[in-house]
Amino acid sequence: MPQMSERAVIVGAGLAALRGAEAMRAAGFSGPLTIVGDEPYRPYDRPPLSKHVLTGATPADATTLPGSLSLDADWLLGCPATGLDREARAVRLTDGRTLPYDRLLIATGTRARPWPNPHEGRLAGVFTLRGRDDAAALRQALAAGPRRVLVIGGGFIGCEVASLCRQLGLPVTLVEPGPTPLARVLGRTVGSFIGAIHAGHGVELRCGSEVEWLEDEHGRLVRAHLVDGTRIEADLAVVALGAVRNTEWLEGSGLSADPGGVDCDARGYAVDTDGTADPRITAAGDVARFPHPLYDGRRVALEHWSQAVAQGIHAGRLLAGAVPEGPYAEMPTFWSTQGDLVVKSAGLTEGADAVAITQGDPASGRFVALYGREGRCIAAVSVDSARWLPAHAELVAARAPFPPRGGATDRPKEIEIFAPDFP
């Protein structure tokens, strides 16, 4: 058990960091605790940023997570970490200071992937959406009534923003290089169902297309040029090309870390380049890559709210000396609210070789898709059908046979098996 004289440092000031700090204190760690963040804000809730903040229902500065206000910790905010010296057990900061540690939690999360052309990415009217300031700026731009919004990327954030624009009565075009929205995550089969729902709500979909460059007049976006030669007139663009994990500051530390995340062992300790665990360091949240026992030890890094909570608590308890009996094995879950469409998932679809609609009907806009791999259930996705998801999550957790056996209310009598058709 760590002693009162031992010092703990958490690098990152988001949800995983906060839950990790709370768990350390709850598990009995009483030494000095310092939380380092690159933004000037206490931990805040990110899901409302692409929803309630953009509609104006919630101010961006009202998303602060309340637990941070009473936490016994020193906060160093607006001061990113620039390096880690494991031999000296110290974190280097951008202002030149060093922070000694005896226990370290890495929770640096991700940042929005920028538009590849830096000049075009800085044009007035071009936005990314990841942090509080991003959401506040985008909200102001949407409230000004752009003539057309261009969303570049049909992942979850892109679909959420496109749907929200329709809620606000704004014309919106979504450009996605894949065959359907969300195809990379859910496959073409399920992605086409969700795309049809968005199209029915007035989103103009340009799937199988790619933006080549953004044109400006006097430093402001006026149109986008696609690879196929077509143009889209738009004065506001949201670049939704995914996220970049914040691992650069660990270069030279000896930890096994790359753009895919910080490698951890099954317990949650960070490992070095030789695969040896460092018992003084854990990682949690978007930046942590770990072997998941539900998927035969495949290493995964998950950008999910529920994952940040569960893994943050696990990592904090681990640093406080509350060693778990088994490996970290929390079921991956996710949700996305896209206008009046709620998509929830349990498990990981990656690697699926089959999918079946096991509840509801895509034609009605309400259904559950169950994913299988080599005859076992590996993931389930519900679309406006959350009440059916827990039973499917149990199938995934049990690695039950795919397709499922036995009847259920609203389940098709004959379950048709499709190829997920990932691009």
Side-chain angles (χ1 to χ4, degrees), residues 8-11 36 80-94 97-108 246-257 262-263 270-272 278 280-283:
V9 174
I10 298 177
V11 183
V36 178
T82 59
L84 172 63
D85 186 337
R86 291 169 58 225
E87 185 175 350
R89 296 210 301 266
V91 174
R92 295 190 295 272
L93 304 180
T94 190
R97 285 182 292 173
T98 59
L99 284 178
Y101 71 86
D102 298 292
R103 299 288 185 270
L104 174 65
L105 170 55
I106 298 171
T108 42
N246 296 317
T247 58
E248 297 90 344
W249 69 283
L250 294 170
E251 185 176 352
S253 69
L255 289 181
S256 179
V262 179
D263 284 317
V271 300
D272 62 20
D278 187 329
R280 295 184 179 274
I281 304 176
T282 62

Side-chain angles (χ1 to χ4, degrees), residues 162-163 166-167 172 195-204 338-341:
S163 295
R166 294 304 304 136
Q167 280 187 287
V172 58
I197 295 172
H198 286 304
H201 290 166
V203 177
E204 181 188 5
Q338 303 170 23
D340 57 1
L341 186 71

Side-chain angles (χ1 to χ4, degrees), residues 263-300:
D263 284 317
C264 301
D265 68 6
R267 296 168 297 173
Y269 292 116
V271 300
D272 62 20
T273 53
D274 294 326
T276 302
D278 187 329
R280 295 184 179 274
I281 304 176
T282 62
D286 299 0
V287 78
R289 183 169 55 193
F290 64 99
H292 203 298
L294 189 59
Y295 299 95
D296 301 318
R298 188 176 85 231
R299 308 187 75 79
V300 298

